[in-house]
Coordinates of all heavy atoms in Angstrom, one line a residue:
T1 N -3.8 -2.1 -3.0 CA -4.5 -1.2 -4.0 C -4.2 0.3 -3.5 O -4.4 0.6 -2.4 CB -6.0 -1.4 -3.9 OG1 -6.3 -2.7 -4.2 CG2 -6.7 -0.5 -4.9
F2 N -3.6 1.0 -4.5 CA -3.4 2.4 -4.2 C -4.6 3.3 -4.5 O -5.4 2.9 -5.3 CB -2.2 2.9 -5.1 CG -0.9 2.4 -4.7 CD1 -0.1 1.8 -5.7 CD2 -0.4 2.5 -3.4 CE1 1.2 1.4 -5.3 CE2 0.9 2.0 -3.1 CZ 1.7 1.4 -4.0
S3 N -4.6 4.4 -3.8 CA -5.8 5.3 -4.0 C -5.6 6.4 -5.0 O -6.5 7.1 -5.4 CB -6.2 5.9 -2.6 OG -5.1 6.7 -2.1
G4 N -4.3 6.6 -5.4 CA -4.0 7.7 -6.4 C -3.2 7.2 -7.5 O -3.4 6.1 -8.0
N5 N -2.3 8.0 -8.0 CA -1.4 7.7 -9.1 C -0.1 7.1 -8.7 O 0.9 7.1 -9.5 CB -1.2 8.9 -10.0 CG -2.4 9.5 -10.5 OD1 -3.3 8.7 -10.9 ND2 -2.5 10.8 -10.6
Q6 N 0.0 6.5 -7.5 CA 1.3 6.0 -7.0 C 1.7 4.8 -7.9 O 0.9 4.0 -8.4 CB 1.1 5.5 -5.6 CG 0.8 6.6 -4.6 CD -0.7 6.7 -4.3 OE1 -1.5 6.3 -5.1 NE2 -1.0 7.3 -3.2
T7 N 3.0 4.7 -8.0 CA 3.6 3.5 -8.7 C 4.8 3.0 -7.9 O 5.4 3.7 -7.2 CB 4.1 3.9 -10.1 OG1 5.0 5.0 -10.0 CG2 2.9 4.3 -11.0
I8 N 5.0 1.7 -8.1 CA 6.2 1.0 -7.5 C 7.4 1.3 -8.3 O 7.4 1.0 -9.5 CB 5.9 -0.5 -7.3 CG1 4.7 -0.7 -6.4 CG2 7.2 -1.2 -6.8 CD1 5.0 -0.5 -5.0
K9 N 8.5 1.8 -7.7 CA 9.8 1.9 -8.5 C 10.6 0.7 -8.3 O 11.2 0.2 -9.2 CB 10.5 3.2 -8.0 CG 9.8 4.5 -8.4 CD 10.6 5.7 -8.2 CE 11.9 5.8 -8.9 NZ 11.8 6.2 -10.3
N10 N 10.8 0.2 -7.0 CA 11.6 -1.0 -6.7 C 11.2 -1.4 -5.3 O 10.5 -0.7 -4.6 CB 13.1 -0.7 -6.9 CG 13.6 0.4 -6.0 OD1 13.2 0.5 -4.8 ND2 14.4 1.3 -6.5
G11 N 11.7 -2.6 -4.9 CA 11.4 -3.1 -3.6 C 12.3 -4.2 -3.2 O 13.3 -4.5 -3.9
C12 N 12.1 -4.7 -2.0 CA 13.0 -5.7 -1.5 C 12.1 -6.9 -0.9 O 11.0 -6.7 -0.5 CB 13.9 -5.2 -0.4 SG 13.0 -4.5 1.1
N13 N 12.7 -8.1 -1.0 CA 12.1 -9.3 -0.5 C 10.9 -9.8 -1.2 O 10.1 -10.6 -0.7 CB 11.9 -9.3 1.0 CG 13.2 -9.3 1.8 OD1 14.2 -9.9 1.4 ND2 13.2 -8.7 3.0
A14 N 10.6 -9.2 -2.4 CA 9.4 -9.6 -3.2 C 9.7 -9.1 -4.6 O 10.4 -8.2 -4.9 CB 8.1 -9.0 -2.6
A15 N 9.0 -9.8 -5.5 CA 8.9 -9.3 -6.9 C 7.6 -8.6 -7.1 O 6.6 -9.1 -6.7 CB 9.0 -10.5 -7.9
Y16 N 7.6 -7.4 -7.6 CA 6.5 -6.6 -7.7 C 6.0 -6.4 -9.1 O 6.8 -6.3 -10.0 CB 6.8 -5.2 -7.1 CG 7.1 -5.2 -5.6 CD1 8.4 -5.3 -5.2 CD2 6.0 -5.1 -4.7 CE1 8.6 -5.4 -3.8 CE2 6.3 -5.1 -3.4 CZ 7.6 -5.2 -2.9 OH 7.9 -5.3 -1.6
S17 N 4.7 -6.4 -9.3 CA 4.0 -6.1 -10.6 C 2.9 -5.2 -10.3 O 2.3 -5.2 -9.2 CB 3.6 -7.3 -11.3 OG 2.6 -8.0 -10.6
Q18 N 2.5 -4.3 -11.2 CA 1.5 -3.4 -11.0 C 0.6 -3.3 -12.2 O 1.0 -3.2 -13.3 CB 2.0 -2.0 -10.7 CG 1.0 -1.0 -10.3 CD 1.6 0.3 -9.7 OE1 2.8 0.4 -9.5 NE2 0.7 1.2 -9.4
D19 N -0.7 -3.3 -12.0 CA -1.7 -3.1 -13.0 C -2.7 -2.0 -12.5 O -3.6 -2.3 -11.7 CB -2.5 -4.4 -13.3 CG -3.5 -4.3 -14.4 OD1 -3.5 -3.3 -15.1 OD2 -4.4 -5.2 -14.5
G20 N -2.5 -0.8 -13.0 CA -3.3 0.3 -12.5 C -3.0 0.6 -11.1 O -1.8 0.7 -10.7
A21 N -4.0 0.6 -10.2 CA -3.8 0.8 -8.8 C -3.5 -0.4 -8.0 O -3.2 -0.4 -6.8 CB -5.1 1.5 -8.2
T22 N -3.6 -1.6 -8.6 CA -3.4 -2.9 -8.0 C -1.9 -3.3 -8.1 O -1.4 -3.4 -9.2 CB -4.3 -3.9 -8.5 OG1 -5.6 -3.5 -8.4 CG2 -4.1 -5.3 -7.8
V23 N -1.3 -3.6 -7.0 CA 0.1 -4.0 -6.9 C 0.1 -5.4 -6.4 O -0.6 -5.7 -5.4 CB 1.0 -3.1 -6.0 CG1 2.4 -3.7 -5.9 CG2 1.0 -1.7 -6.6
T24 N 0.9 -6.3 -7.0 CA 1.1 -7.7 -6.5 C 2.5 -7.9 -6.1 O 3.4 -7.6 -6.9 CB 0.7 -8.7 -7.6 OG1 -0.7 -8.4 -8.0 CG2 0.8 -10.1 -7.1
A25 N 2.7 -8.4 -4.9 CA 4.1 -8.8 -4.5 C 4.1 -10.3 -4.3 O 3.3 -10.9 -3.7 CB 4.4 -8.1 -3.1
T26 N 5.1 -10.9 -5.0 CA 5.2 -12.4 -4.9 C 6.6 -12.7 -4.4 O 7.5 -11.9 -4.4 CB 5.0 -13.0 -6.3 OG1 6.0 -12.4 -7.2 CG2 3.6 -12.8 -6.9
N27 N 6.6 -13.9 -3.8 CA 7.8 -14.3 -3.1 C 9.0 -14.4 -4.1 O 8.8 -14.6 -5.3 CB 7.6 -15.7 -2.4 CG 7.1 -16.7 -3.3 OD1 6.5 -16.5 -4.4 ND2 7.4 -18.0 -3.0
V28 N 10.2 -14.3 -3.6 CA 11.4 -14.5 -4.4 C 12.1 -15.8 -3.9 O 11.7 -16.3 -2.9 CB 12.3 -13.3 -4.3 CG1 11.7 -12.1 -5.1 CG2 12.6 -12.8 -2.9
Q29 N 13.2 -16.2 -4.5 CA 13.8 -17.4 -4.2 C 14.2 -17.6 -2.7 O 13.9 -18.7 -2.2 CB 15.1 -17.6 -5.1 CG 15.8 -18.9 -4.9 CD 14.9 -20.1 -5.3 OE1 14.1 -20.0 -6.2 NE2 15.0 -21.2 -4.6
H30 N 14.8 -16.6 -2.1 CA 15.2 -16.8 -0.7 C 14.1 -16.8 0.3 O 14.3 -17.2 1.5 CB 16.3 -15.7 -0.3 CG 15.7 -14.3 -0.3 ND1 15.7 -13.5 -1.3 CD2 15.2 -13.6 0.8 CE1 15.2 -12.4 -1.0 NE2 14.9 -12.4 0.3
N31 N 12.9 -16.5 0.0 CA 11.8 -16.6 0.9 C 10.6 -17.4 0.2 O 9.4 -17.1 0.5 CB 11.3 -15.3 1.5 CG 10.8 -14.3 0.4 OD1 10.5 -14.7 -0.7 ND2 10.6 -13.1 0.8
R32 N 10.9 -18.2 -0.7 CA 10.0 -19.0 -1.5 C 9.0 -19.8 -0.6 O 7.8 -19.9 -0.9 CB 10.7 -19.8 -2.5 CG 9.8 -20.6 -3.5 CD 10.5 -21.3 -4.5 NE 11.5 -22.2 -4.0 CZ 11.2 -23.5 -3.6 NH1 10.0 -23.9 -3.7 NH2 12.1 -24.3 -3.1
V33 N 9.6 -20.5 0.4 CA 8.8 -21.3 1.3 C 9.0 -20.8 2.7 O 10.1 -20.7 3.2 CB 9.3 -22.8 1.2 CG1 8.5 -23.7 2.1 CG2 9.1 -23.3 -0.3
L34 N 7.9 -20.6 3.4 CA 7.9 -20.2 4.8 C 7.2 -21.3 5.6 O 6.2 -21.8 5.2 CB 7.2 -18.9 5.0 CG 7.7 -17.7 4.3 CD1 6.8 -16.5 4.6 CD2 9.1 -17.4 4.8
K35 N 7.9 -21.7 6.7 CA 7.3 -22.7 7.6 C 6.3 -22.0 8.6 O 6.4 -20.7 8.7 CB 8.4 -23.4 8.4 CG 9.3 -24.2 7.5 CD 10.4 -24.8 8.3 CE 11.3 -25.6 7.4 NZ 12.5 -26.1 8.1
E36 N 5.4 -22.7 9.2 CA 4.5 -22.2 10.1 C 5.2 -21.3 11.2 O 6.3 -21.8 11.7 CB 3.7 -23.3 10.8 CG 2.6 -22.7 11.7 CD 1.7 -23.8 12.2 OE1 1.7 -24.9 11.7 OE2 1.1 -23.6 13.3
G37 N 4.8 -20.1 11.4 CA 5.4 -19.3 12.4 C 6.5 -18.4 11.9 O 6.9 -17.4 12.5
Q38 N 7.0 -18.6 10.7 CA 8.0 -17.8 10.1 C 7.3 -16.6 9.4 O 6.1 -16.6 9.1 CB 8.8 -18.5 9.0 CG 9.8 -19.5 9.5 CD 10.6 -20.1 8.4 OE1 10.0 -20.6 7.4 NE2 11.9 -20.1 8.5
R39 N 8.0 -15.5 9.3 CA 7.5 -14.3 8.6 C 8.5 -13.7 7.8 O 9.7 -14.0 7.9 CB 6.9 -13.4 9.6 CG 8.0 -12.9 10.6 CD 7.3 -12.0 11.7 NE 8.2 -11.9 12.8 CZ 8.1 -11.0 13.8 NH1 7.1 -10.2 13.7 NH2 8.9 -11.0 14.7
V40 N 8.1 -12.8 6.9 CA 8.9 -12.1 6.0 C 8.5 -10.6 6.0 O 7.3 -10.4 6.0 CB 9.0 -12.7 4.6 CG1 7.7 -12.6 3.9 CG2 10.1 -12.1 3.7
T41 N 9.4 -9.7 5.9 CA 9.1 -8.3 5.8 C 9.4 -7.9 4.4 O 10.5 -8.2 3.9 CB 9.9 -7.5 6.8 OG1 9.5 -8.0 8.1 CG2 9.5 -6.0 6.7
I42 N 8.5 -7.2 3.7 CA 8.7 -6.7 2.4 C 8.7 -5.2 2.5 O 8.1 -4.6 3.4 CB 7.7 -7.2 1.4 CG1 6.3 -6.8 1.7 CG2 7.8 -8.8 1.3 CD1 5.3 -7.2 0.6
G43 N 9.3 -4.6 1.5 CA 9.3 -3.1 1.4 C 9.4 -2.7 0.0 O 9.7 -3.4 -0.9
Y44 N 9.0 -1.4 -0.2 CA 9.0 -0.9 -1.6 C 9.3 0.6 -1.6 O 9.0 1.3 -0.6 CB 7.8 -1.2 -2.4 CG 6.5 -0.6 -1.8 CD1 6.1 0.7 -2.3 CD2 5.7 -1.2 -0.9 CE1 5.0 1.3 -1.8 CE2 4.6 -0.6 -0.4 CZ 4.2 0.7 -0.9 OH 3.1 1.3 -0.4
V45 N 9.8 1.1 -2.7 CA 9.9 2.5 -2.9 C 9.0 2.9 -4.1 O 9.0 2.2 -5.1 CB 11.4 2.9 -3.3 CG1 11.5 4.4 -3.6 CG2 12.3 2.6 -2.1
G46 N 8.2 3.9 -3.9 CA 7.2 4.3 -4.9 C 7.3 5.8 -5.2 O 8.0 6.5 -4.5
T47 N 6.5 6.1 -6.2 CA 6.4 7.6 -6.5 C 4.9 7.9 -6.4 O 4.0 7.1 -6.5 CB 6.8 7.9 -8.0 OG1 6.0 7.1 -8.9 CG2 8.3 7.5 -8.2
D48 N 4.7 9.2 -6.0 CA 3.3 9.6 -5.8 C 2.5 10.0 -7.1 O 1.3 10.3 -7.0 CB 3.2 10.7 -4.7 CG 3.8 12.0 -5.2 OD1 4.2 12.1 -6.3 OD2 4.0 12.8 -4.3
G49 N 3.2 10.1 -8.2 CA 2.5 10.4 -9.5 C 1.9 11.8 -9.5 O 1.0 12.0 -10.2
G50 N 2.4 12.7 -8.6 CA 1.8 14.0 -8.6 C 0.6 14.2 -7.6 O 0.1 15.2 -7.4
S51 N 0.2 13.0 -7.1 CA -1.0 13.1 -6.2 C -0.5 13.1 -4.7 O 0.7 12.8 -4.5 CB -1.9 11.9 -6.4 OG -1.3 10.7 -6.1
T52 N -1.4 13.3 -3.8 CA -1.0 13.2 -2.4 C -0.7 11.7 -2.1 O -1.5 10.9 -2.5 CB -2.1 13.7 -1.5 OG1 -2.5 15.1 -1.9 CG2 -1.8 13.7 -0.1
D53 N 0.4 11.5 -1.4 CA 0.8 10.1 -1.1 C 0.0 9.6 0.1 O -0.1 10.2 1.1 CB 2.3 10.1 -0.8 CG 2.9 8.7 -0.9 OD1 2.2 7.8 -1.6 OD2 4.0 8.5 -0.4
H54 N -0.7 8.5 -0.1 CA -1.6 7.9 0.9 C -1.2 6.5 1.2 O -0.6 5.8 0.4 CB -3.1 7.9 0.4 CG -3.6 9.2 0.2 ND1 -4.0 10.1 1.2 CD2 -3.8 9.9 -1.0 CE1 -4.5 11.2 0.7 NE2 -4.4 11.1 -0.6
V55 N -1.6 6.0 2.4 CA -1.4 4.6 2.7 C -2.3 3.8 1.7 O -3.4 4.3 1.4 CB -1.9 4.4 4.2 CG1 -1.9 2.9 4.5 CG2 -1.0 5.1 5.1
P56 N -1.9 2.6 1.3 CA -2.7 1.8 0.4 C -4.1 1.6 1.0 O -4.3 1.5 2.2 CB -2.0 0.5 0.3 CG -0.5 0.9 0.5 CD -0.6 2.0 1.5
E57 N -5.1 1.5 0.1 CA -6.5 1.3 0.6 C -6.7 -0.1 1.1 O -7.5 -0.3 2.0 CB -7.5 1.6 -0.6 CG -7.6 3.0 -1.0 CD -8.5 3.2 -2.1 OE1 -9.1 2.3 -2.7 OE2 -8.7 4.4 -2.5
A58 N -6.1 -1.1 0.5 CA -6.3 -2.4 1.0 C -5.0 -3.2 0.8 O -4.3 -3.0 -0.2 CB -7.4 -3.1 0.2
L59 N -4.8 -4.2 1.7 CA -3.6 -5.1 1.6 C -4.1 -6.5 2.0 O -4.7 -6.7 3.0 CB -2.6 -4.6 2.6 CG -1.3 -5.5 2.8 CD1 -0.5 -5.5 1.5 CD2 -0.5 -5.0 4.0
F60 N -3.8 -7.4 1.1 CA -4.2 -8.8 1.3 C -2.9 -9.7 1.2 O -2.1 -9.5 0.4 CB -5.1 -9.2 0.2 CG -6.4 -8.5 0.2 CD1 -6.6 -7.3 -0.5 CD2 -7.5 -9.1 0.9 CE1 -7.8 -6.6 -0.4 CE2 -8.7 -8.4 0.9 CZ -8.9 -7.2 0.2
V61 N -2.9 -10.7 2.1 CA -1.8 -11.7 2.1 C -2.6 -13.0 1.9 O -3.4 -13.4 2.8 CB -0.9 -11.7 3.3 CG1 0.0 -12.8 3.3 CG2 -0.2 -10.3 3.4
N62 N -2.3 -13.8 0.9 CA -2.9 -15.0 0.6 C -4.5 -14.9 0.7 O -5.1 -15.8 1.2 CB -2.4 -16.1 1.5 CG -1.0 -16.5 1.3 OD1 -0.5 -16.3 0.2 ND2 -0.3 -16.9 2.3
G63 N -5.0 -13.8 0.2 CA -6.4 -13.6 0.1 C -7.0 -13.1 1.4 O -8.2 -12.8 1.5
V64 N -6.2 -12.9 2.5 CA -6.7 -12.4 3.7 C -6.4 -10.9 3.9 O -5.2 -10.5 3.8 CB -6.1 -13.2 4.9 CG1 -6.7 -12.7 6.3 CG2 -6.5 -14.7 4.8
R65 N -7.4 -10.1 4.2 CA -7.1 -8.6 4.3 C -6.3 -8.4 5.6 O -6.6 -8.9 6.7 CB -8.4 -7.9 4.4 CG -8.2 -6.4 4.3 CD -9.5 -5.6 4.3 NE -9.2 -4.2 4.1 CZ -9.8 -3.4 3.2 NH1 -10.7 -3.9 2.4 NH2 -9.4 -2.2 3.1
C66 N -5.3 -7.5 5.5 CA -4.4 -7.1 6.6 C -4.6 -5.6 6.9 O -5.1 -4.9 6.0 CB -2.9 -7.4 6.2 SG -2.6 -9.1 5.8
A67 N -4.1 -5.2 8.0 CA -4.1 -3.8 8.4 C -3.0 -3.0 7.6 O -2.0 -3.6 7.2 CB -3.8 -3.7 9.9
T68 N -3.3 -1.8 7.3 CA -2.3 -0.9 6.6 C -2.0 0.2 7.6 O -2.9 0.7 8.3 CB -2.9 -0.4 5.3 OG1 -4.1 0.3 5.5 CG2 -3.1 -1.5 4.3
T69 N -0.8 0.6 7.6 CA -0.4 1.8 8.4 C 0.5 2.7 7.7 O 1.1 2.3 6.7 CB 0.4 1.3 9.7 OG1 1.5 0.5 9.3 CG2 -0.5 0.5 10.6

């Protein structure tokens, strides 16, 4: 969840969709299934929409809240 007018322009290792301030990243074919202990790193390029660029307010993976930095 973004705190301002930020939008996703593109990203890697995930398919991104955005509805207002909420962004959803879903797996893509090459990381569709992860075994226990495996991990994937995702990234994105966004625009600040004229507002101050901030760290997202909340980040969840499979419904579990994660730290944002």
Side-chain angles (χ1 to χ4, degrees):
T1 304
F2 288 130
S3 58
N5 297 325
Q6 297 95 336
T7 58
I8 298 289
K9 291 189 63 83
N10 58 46
C12 61
N13 289 331
Y16 295 90
S17 61
Q18 185 167 358
D19 182 14
T22 302
V23 175
T24 301
T26 55
N27 57 334
V28 291
Q29 185 60 35
H30 67 273
N31 63 11
R32 184 175 55 85
V33 177
L34 298 176
K35 295 178 183 174
E36 185 175 339
Q38 287 183 309
R39 60 184 163 169
V40 64
T41 300
I42 62 173
Y44 65 88
V45 175
T47 61
D48 65 8
S51 65
T52 304
D53 201 16
H54 297 283
V55 172
E57 290 180 358
L59 174 66
F60 295 85
V61 175
N62 294 333
V64 178
R65 189 176 185 132
C66 300
T68 58
T69 56

